[in-house]
């Protein structure tokens, strides 16, 4: 649903004085939806792993990233609307730099200590773990600052705003992934991994 995309418009729809509470309400709704989606994925865990060629580590990292990413995106939207650049800069620095360095370190560590066959897992964990941790920290910041978990008017607005955007988001994901899928299909998995990295 990408509910974070309505984060820009909520300020104009509900006013600046309700903006933080509206964002925290959307954040809580995101977590409820992600929890429901993750519970469905758990039922079909083995099928999902086979379909996407994932290991257990990659599967769990993916599920946790669903949660953390919604917080990161909502915080970015909120801070942009409030014309606060510092929080966006700080969160980017505190998540992306460690993600890059940790993933490179874990790949190096794996290659030098006999875990080269698990390089994809190590890279996945190293890159996404700081973002997941940062996302959960931002979740608590958004909730504490907004002080509202449930606002049905905001939820209704978020759904009405975001549901028509689903085809656009699907097409963006297809465009973002098609080159990697093409490389994987025509050349191989290793080359697609190098291309993606």
């Amino acid at each position: 649903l990408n509910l974070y995309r309505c984060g820009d418009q909520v300020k104009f729809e509900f006013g600046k004085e309700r903006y933080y509470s509206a964002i925290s309400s959307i954040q809580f709704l995101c977590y409820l939806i992600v929890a429901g989606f993750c519970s469905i994925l758990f039922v079909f865990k083995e099928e999902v792993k086979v379909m996407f060629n994932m290991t257990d580590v990659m599967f769990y990292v993916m599920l946790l990233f669903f949660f953390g990413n919604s917080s990161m995106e909502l915080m970015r939207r909120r801070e942009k609307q409030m014309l606060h650049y510092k929080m966006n800069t700080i969160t980017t620095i505190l998540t992306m730099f460690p993600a890059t360095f940790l993933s490179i370190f874990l790949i190096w560590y794996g290659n030098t200590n006999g875990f080269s066959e698990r390089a994809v897992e190590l890279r996945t964990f190293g890159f996404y773990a700081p973002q997941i941790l940062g996302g959960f920290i931002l979740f608590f910041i958004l909730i504490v600052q907004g002080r509202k978990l449930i606002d049905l008017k905001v939820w209704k607005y978020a759904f009405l705003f975001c549901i028509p955007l689903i085809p656009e988001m699907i097409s963006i994901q297809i465009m973002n992934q098609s080159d990697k899928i093409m490389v994987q299909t025509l050349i191989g998995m290793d080359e697609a991994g190098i291309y993606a990295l």
Side-chain angles (χ1 to χ4, degrees):
L1 289 172
N2 290 294
L3 293 176
Y4 67 85
R5 295 188 71 187
C6 71
D8 297 336
Q9 299 301 320
V10 168
K11 179 181 173 188
F12 305 109
E13 186 70 24
F14 295 97
K16 190 175 179 180
E17 62 282 349
R18 283 184 62 192
Y19 187 50
Y20 276 32
S21 66
I23 292 293
S24 69
S25 177
I26 292 169
Q27 175 63 90
F28 187 66
L29 176 61
C30 286
Y31 270 51
L32 290 177
I33 291 170
V34 169
F37 182 70
C38 288
S39 63
I40 293 169
L41 285 178
F42 261 107
V43 172
F44 301 104
K45 177 184 170 189
E46 294 307 317
E47 291 83 358
V48 170
K49 285 171 47 184
V50 169
M51 181 186 296
F52 295 108
N53 198 18
M54 299 174 116
T55 64
D56 278 336
V57 170
M58 296 164 74
F59 181 80
Y60 292 119
V61 166
M62 175 186 70
L63 296 184
L64 291 172
F65 183 71
F66 290 155
F67 287 100
N69 188 54
S70 70
S71 302
M72 298 282 281
E73 292 296 337
L74 269 169
M75 179 63 87
R76 285 186 185 121
R77 298 283 173 140
R78 188 190 83 175
E79 295 301 290
K80 182 178 79 170
Q81 284 303 313
M82 299 304 289
L83 303 175
H84 299 155
Y85 67 91
K86 289 180 184 174
M87 187 63 163
N88 277 338
T89 305
I90 290 168
T91 55
T92 301
I93 290 170
L94 291 178
T95 57
M96 295 314 293
F97 284 129
T100 303
F101 293 123
L102 184 59
S103 61
I104 291 170
F105 170 76
L106 288 176
I107 290 171
W108 170 82
Y109 179 81
N111 285 333
T112 57
N113 291 294
F115 299 111
S116 57
E117 73 281 349
R118 300 185 74 182
V120 175
E121 280 183 7
L122 294 170
R123 191 250 180 210
T124 301
F125 179 80
F127 188 74
Y128 290 107
Q131 296 178 63
I132 292 166
L133 179 62
F136 282 113
I137 291 169
L138 291 178
F139 169 79
F140 288 108
I141 291 172
L142 288 168
I143 296 300
V144 167
Q145 290 177 345
R147 296 185 184 141
K148 188 145 193 178
L149 297 180
I150 300 171
D151 188 332
L152 296 180
K153 283 180 110 173
V154 171
W155 287 11
K156 180 182 175 185
Y157 178 80
F159 277 122
L160 292 176
F161 185 86
C162 292
I163 286 175
L165 299 176
I166 290 174
E168 179 208 12
M169 288 308 299
I170 291 172
S171 66
I172 288 171
Q173 291 303 316
I174 290 170
M175 291 300 294
N176 288 341
Q177 300 300 321
S178 61
D179 53 352
K180 294 178 210 109
I181 293 170
M182 186 172 65
V183 170
Q184 178 182 333
T185 304
L186 296 176
I187 303 173
M189 293 271 295
D190 292 342
E191 292 78 3
I194 292 168
Y195 176 79
L197 181 63

